[in-house]
Amino acid sequence: MDIHEHQPSRGLTFEDILTMFRETDRRFKETDRQFKEIALQSKETDRRMAETDRRMAETDRRMAETDRQFRETDRKISKLGSRIGELIENLVASNLLQKFNDQGFLFTKTATNVQITNPGHTFQAEIDILLENGTTALAVEVKSKLTADDVKEHLDRMEKLRRHADEHGDRRKFLGAVAGGIIPGNVKSFAIEKGFFVIEQSGDTAVLAVPE
């Protein structure tokens, strides 16, 4: 007959309980670490969202500033256009025709804002003031403040005017002049050197400088 010996089951020892506590403590610490990590991620998300909001607000501010600058530029351009128109009117009103006739030109006609187009009606150039007679025409470019670049552009404008005249059999002599409310000394010298008359607005009249 087999005799089976029954071993009594071993109860939990102090070491077993200590191990369980240690494992539980480890899991608590791991859970706490995960919570802290989630909290940090949440804070980082909040920070990034706040940074995004700040950047969007800055973009809105810059767009508003750009819009304000565009409006200010439009206002200045409008004012400049009005100022040039006033200068043209003042120059004509100050008897510009007579001043050139005193130089022996005997112009008989004055026109403002004259557009030059080719046969296809394509715009080529615009002349602020044009003085004419049967043998000579004088094109005047008017600026609030005359610059060297304005003088160079008028040289190009005069070439276009000459070609247009030749294409239409106009054999008159074409002269150029520049006028301005403000004309720096070096720009005046440059314009005269290029063969242009220089007309300076002075009060209610115009002062004419004649090239050699």
Side-chain angles (χ1 to χ4, degrees):
M1 180 176 67
D2 293 335
I3 298 175
H4 298 284
E5 295 181 358
H6 295 279
Q7 299 291 335
S9 59
R10 184 174 66 87
L12 292 174
T13 66
F14 176 77
E15 289 296 329
D16 292 334
I17 295 172
L18 186 60
T19 298
M20 291 172 61
F21 274 124
R22 286 173 177 169
E23 178 63 18
T24 301
D25 184 60
R26 186 190 67 78
R27 291 181 180 180
F28 274 135
K29 288 181 178 179
E30 177 64 18
T31 301
D32 185 60
R33 184 192 65 79
Q34 291 176 352
F35 275 135
K36 288 180 178 178
E37 187 174 316
I38 292 172
L40 286 174
Q41 291 175 350
S42 178
K43 287 182 179 179
E44 178 64 15
T45 300
D46 291 342
R47 186 192 66 80
R48 290 180 179 178
M49 290 180 66
E51 177 65 14
T52 299
D53 290 342
R54 186 192 66 78
R55 290 182 178 179
M56 290 180 66
E58 177 66 14
T59 299
D60 290 343
R61 185 192 66 78
R62 290 183 179 180
M63 289 179 66
E65 176 63 17
T66 299
D67 184 61
R68 184 194 66 78
Q69 290 176 353
F70 275 138
R71 290 198 302 269
E72 179 66 12
T73 299
D74 289 343
R75 185 188 67 79
K76 289 181 178 179
I77 290 174
S78 177
K79 184 176 180 180
L80 178 61
S82 176
R83 173 61 177 157
I84 292 175
E86 290 175 3
L87 277 172
I88 292 174
E89 292 177 3
N90 289 339
L91 287 171
V92 173
S94 64
N95 205 0
L96 187 64
L97 187 69
Q98 185 59 49
K99 291 183 183 301
F100 277 99
N101 286 348
D102 290 343
Q103 299 295 323
F105 289 103
L106 302 180
F107 290 120
T108 58
K109 181 180 177 183
T110 302
T112 60
N113 300 320
V114 179
Q115 290 193 351
I116 305 300
T117 59
N118 61 21
H121 300 288
T122 302
F123 176 79
Q124 287 184 304
E126 182 173 355
I127 303 169
D128 291 331
I129 303 175
L130 183 64
L131 307 181
E132 300 177 272
N133 62 27
T135 60
T136 307
L138 185 137
V140 185
E141 175 68 4
V142 182
K143 295 292 182 181
S144 291
K145 180 179 180 180
L146 190 71
T147 67
D149 286 339
D150 294 328
V151 176
K152 294 175 184 177
E153 288 178 6
H154 198 40
L155 284 169
D156 181 63
R157 186 178 293 104
M158 294 302 300
E159 291 177 1
K160 291 179 180 179
L161 185 57
R162 179 71 270 172
R163 287 197 301 270
H164 181 271
D166 291 341
E167 290 170 358
H168 290 78
D170 187 347
R171 302 305 177 191
R172 292 180 299 172
K173 182 177 182 179
F174 282 83
L175 302 174
V178 290
I182 300 174
I183 304 179
N186 62 324
V187 177
K188 179 179 179 179
S189 299
F190 178 62
I192 292 175
E193 176 187 329
K194 294 301 180 181
F196 287 148
F197 293 88
V198 178
I199 307 158
E200 294 181 86
Q201 185 72 20
S202 178
D204 295 331
T205 187
V207 178
L208 180 65
V210 181
E212 293 182 6

